[in-house]
Amino acid sequence: MTIISLNQTFTRWDELLTLILASFPSMNGRIDPPSSALKLTTESLAEKARTEIGHVAIDGEKLIGCLFLRPEADCLYVGKLAVLPEVQGKGLGKRLLTIAEETAAALGLPALRLETRIELTDNHAVFAAWGFSRTAEKAHPGFARTTFVEMRKVLAPPICVARLTAFFNDPAVPDSAACDRR
């Protein structure tokens, strides 16, 4: 299995749309309002990939997972994290979130943020096990009740080996040692 970035060479939009729709069937009839995934088209997915940071997991020739990332002022938003049902529970979702963490670190963003529907308590539990905390309850426009929760994961700051070494007074490293921001 490989995970690739969605860039201008990616052309499998029909398959990506099928993957996303196949990953969320358990939500149909359970959540209100219906999932925004149902409004996606191949054209809107291609546009999403142009304006956001997309990744897709491929096993052989089959698309099996994806996620889209959007930098915000104080975090990296994780959206459309999708894994085919037959692959769920095998670590792919967590692997995709690791890419989100690496992307946030590269962009200098200290946290990940996602939204999940209030009814999907199993998702809340999975995200909590992966280090996310519930930070807000919100409602879609036109709804008086909570329809989704926001969850965040604060990321550890990068470790600067040069500064750690200087801290422990290694004479080989000057006190002014700086770290590259990656």
Side-chain angles (χ1 to χ4, degrees), residues 2-17 19-20 40-58 63-69 79-82 96 99 103:
T2 59
I3 298 176
I4 62 168
S5 295
L6 295 178
N7 59 31
Q8 63 274 15
T9 65
F10 185 83
T11 58
R12 298 168 65 180
W13 303 110
D14 286 328
E15 293 171 74
L16 183 57
L17 179 58
L19 157 72
I20 292 170
L40 288 173
T41 65
T42 55
E43 294 80 16
S44 66
L45 272 177
E47 179 60 25
K48 189 173 189 61
R50 281 190 288 279
T51 60
E52 298 181 14
I53 303 164
H55 295 275
V56 65
I58 305 172
L63 303 185
I64 59 171
C66 71
L67 87 159
F68 284 85
L69 307 169
K80 295 298 176 265
L81 173 60
L96 288 165
I99 290 173
T103 303

Side-chain angles (χ1 to χ4, degrees), residues 9 34-35 54-55 86 96 99 122 148 154 165 182:
T9 65
S35 172
H55 295 275
E86 63 266 25
L96 288 165
I99 290 173
D122 291 348
F148 66 97
V154 176
T165 306
R182 294 180 194 204

Side-chain angles (χ1 to χ4, degrees), residues 1-145:
M1 185 211 28
T2 59
I3 298 176
I4 62 168
S5 295
L6 295 178
N7 59 31
Q8 63 274 15
T9 65
F10 185 83
T11 58
R12 298 168 65 180
W13 303 110
D14 286 328
E15 293 171 74
L16 183 57
L17 179 58
T18 299
L19 157 72
I20 292 170
L21 295 175
S23 299
F24 298 112
S26 64
M27 291 192 306
N28 297 337
R30 274 182 71 196
I31 62 171
D32 188 30
S35 172
S36 62
L38 298 174
K39 296 179 183 176
L40 288 173
T41 65
T42 55
E43 294 80 16
S44 66
L45 272 177
E47 179 60 25
K48 189 173 189 61
R50 281 190 288 279
T51 60
E52 298 181 14
I53 303 164
H55 295 275
V56 65
I58 305 172
D59 188 18
E61 288 299 313
K62 186 175 184 177
L63 303 185
I64 59 171
C66 71
L67 87 159
F68 284 85
L69 307 169
R70 185 181 66 238
E72 296 180 342
D74 65 341
C75 65
L76 185 64
Y77 178 76
V78 178
K80 295 298 176 265
L81 173 60
V83 175
L84 286 178
E86 63 266 25
V87 186
Q88 290 176 8
K90 297 180 180 175
L92 179 56
K94 193 167 187 174
R95 188 164 171 201
L96 288 165
L97 277 177
T98 298
I99 290 173
E101 291 176 11
E102 292 167 354
T103 303
L107 295 172
L109 296 170
L112 299 179
R113 183 179 77 82
L114 58 80
E115 296 170 351
T116 182
R117 294 304 185 91
I118 192 73
E119 299 93 344
L120 303 178
T121 55
D122 291 348
N123 287 2
H124 304 177
V126 168
F127 291 129
W130 290 346
F132 284 81
S133 299
R134 190 180 220 166
T135 54
E137 293 186 358
K138 299 182 178 182
H140 286 83
F143 284 77
R145 64 171 178 82

